[in-house]
Amino acid sequence: MPESVPVRCPACRREHVYTAPSYPCVCGAPTAPRLDPAAAPAVAAHRAWDDEWISVPCAACGRLGQWPHPELGCSCGTVLRVPVATTPPPGSGVRPPGDGMRSADRGTQSPVAGPGSPAHRPAFQPRAIRTARDAVTVAALYLRWLGYRDIRRADQRPPNGIGLAAHGLLAQVDPTVRPAAARDVECLWLTAMTESADCVYFCLAGYTDDARARANTLGVPLFVLDLAGVPQPVNDAADALNATGAPDGRPWTGRRLQE
């Protein structure tokens, strides 16, 4: 069973319970890092791909695998790295990472749907993000998990990142290492309004305070993509979308221009 530890965001002091993500070893056994509950999380202010991976041994066969640092996206917009223990517990041959430092949000569990989600909705299956293409793939899989169909590349390319479209929905995926700004959110919203569609934003590096405030005003759902491949809601609109999904192919409805 993946372990869970309490995590307090140093920016807003919110308390979270973080579950370590697990990944299948080549032998088929689930493998997860062992977390350090005594260490404080670090804020992921800057990203470098080479620093985002740790070596985790398989408890079943002992094979070392390279997995992303676990990360937690706080609702205040801060991305946290949860500390990882460097040695296994005494008397247990279970999952110690090679380089312990930090990382992130919900573990093997996907963005778990809230109580209002359809009962038939299966658990979201994360996919580790190593490249920009992986980020787009995860966003598309997540939208499909929410119930959107006919997901494709958007006809109009956004100023930053990559656009995805589904029936009644426009999504922007920003896999860069800079936080999305208010202008990015506004451009997505305006483009969606011209197509009479709702919109959703996925970003790897989080959002500026102005971007979060603007998204809250416009009702744009914001998600942070952690490297484990789990989209994390960072505002109320995203929480609502994550909880209700798009049942029967009908997209979640945010605030439209005519409102």
Side-chain angles (χ1 to χ4, degrees):
M1 284 287 294
E3 61 180 319
S4 299
V5 297
V7 177
R8 181 191 291 270
C9 175
C12 69
R13 312 306 293 173
R14 284 187 177 90
E15 292 278 0
H16 304 272
V17 175
Y18 172 71
T19 304
S22 64
Y23 304 93
C25 176
V26 293
C27 73
T31 303
R34 193 169 67 87
L35 306 177
D36 185 353
V43 176
H46 304 285
R47 290 189 178 278
W49 290 108
D50 292 342
D51 297 333
E52 300 291 347
W53 305 91
I54 55 174
S55 298
V56 181
C58 174
C61 69
R63 184 182 281 104
L64 281 177
Q66 293 294 315
W67 305 111
H69 275 288
E71 290 186 349
L72 185 144
C74 181
S75 56
C76 74
T78 303
V79 178
L80 306 175
R81 300 183 180 214
V82 179
V84 178
T86 57
T87 57
S92 147
V94 188
R95 355 176 240 260
D99 156 26
M101 267 221 80
R102 37 223 200 169
S103 279
D105 186 67
R106 274 165 265 215
T108 201
Q109 309 168 17
S110 52
V112 178
S117 62
H120 65 271
R121 213 156 114 203
F124 177 71
Q125 298 299 316
R127 178 178 298 190
I129 296 176
R130 294 181 172 87
T131 65
R133 181 185 294 271
D134 291 337
V136 176
T137 298
V138 166
L141 290 173
Y142 179 75
L143 292 175
R144 187 173 301 156
W145 176 76
L146 289 174
Y148 292 100
R149 296 293 179 264
D150 301 324
I151 299 166
R152 61 195 183 279
R153 290 287 289 269
D155 295 332
Q156 186 170 338
R157 183 173 180 176
N160 296 302
I162 296 165
L164 294 175
H167 180 67
L169 181 78
L170 189 64
Q172 184 166 336
V173 185
D174 188 348
T176 63
V177 295
R178 72 164 185 88
R183 181 178 179 275
D184 299 319
V185 174
E186 291 170 350
C187 287
L188 171 64
W189 182 79
L190 287 170
T191 303
M193 292 307 99
T194 62
E195 299 182 11
S196 299
D198 292 311
C199 58
V200 56
Y201 206 117
F202 298 91
C203 189
L204 195 65
Y207 303 87
T208 65
D209 291 342
D210 288 344
R212 291 196 300 273
R214 193 63 179 136
N216 291 337
T217 300
L218 299 173
V220 178
L222 302 181
F223 291 86
V224 168
L225 296 172
D226 67 25
L227 293 182
V230 183
Q232 305 294 345
V234 298
N235 64 353
D236 291 342
D239 282 330
L241 177 58
N242 182 71
T244 61
D248 302 323
R250 294 191 305 272
W252 175 90
T253 302
R255 298 180 186 172
R256 294 181 180 271
L257 187 62
Q258 56 267 34
E259 296 176 354

